[in-house]
Amino acid sequence: QVQLVESGGGLVQPGGSLRLSCAASGSIFSINAMGWYRQAPGKERELVAVIISGSRTKYADSVKGRFTISRDNANNTMYLQMNSLKPEDTAVYYCNAEVLVYSSSRYYDYWGQGTQVTVSS
């Protein structure tokens, strides 16, 4: 019913920048919160940043001041601008959205397939 597709990952040198995108499509009536999570090898998945339907945002302490989350509500798209990247930012980045579909009366969580971000010299 709902698909989330991430793009924009890749290999970047320390100090560099990347911009991730997440496009949501399908039987979407509305989207509440959207967020980015990441999972490094051998570690649990962690929250990177979240943005509520308006403009409220929340960031992990490790990315504050370096990453910026934003969304285009008209196009059901979310972005993550990542600056001053560090090797410890290396992970698979996942998009998450709380979606109300047309056939339902409650919000459900959906996940993208993930995009690899590697920060290395």
Side-chain angles (χ1 to χ4, degrees):
Q1 286 180 315
V2 176
Q3 298 80 40
L4 301 181
V5 178
E6 302 103 332
S7 60
L11 173 64
V12 63
Q13 292 187 343
S17 298
L18 282 175
R19 188 190 194 211
L20 304 183
S21 299
C22 171
S25 63
S27 302
I28 298 171
F29 181 77
S30 69
I31 299 178
N32 186 21
M34 296 186 78
W36 290 98
Y37 291 74
R38 67 186 181 187
Q39 186 167 19
K43 295 187 177 181
E44 293 188 353
R45 189 174 297 188
E46 63 176 0
L47 174 68
V48 176
V50 63
I51 183 166
I52 312 301
S53 57
S55 60
R56 282 192 297 137
T57 59
K58 179 181 178 180
Y59 296 91
D61 288 343
S62 59
V63 306
K64 281 181 182 177
R66 300 188 297 122
F67 290 11
T68 302
I69 189 171
S70 61
R71 63 190 279 181
D72 176 355
N73 291 324
N75 293 301
N76 292 329
T77 303
M78 175 180 62
Y79 305 96
L80 185 68
Q81 177 66 43
M82 305 186 294
N83 299 327
S84 302
L85 283 161
K86 305 175 181 180
E88 50 264 44
D89 294 318
T90 295
V92 177
Y93 283 70
Y94 296 92
C95 167
N96 170 267
E98 295 177 352
V99 179
L100 179 65
V101 300
Y102 283 103
S103 61
S104 177
S105 59
R106 53 160 287 188
Y107 286 87
Y108 288 91
D109 266 345
Y110 291 89
W111 292 89
Q113 81 288 352
T115 185
Q116 177 70 46
V117 171
T118 302
V119 184
S120 175
S121 56

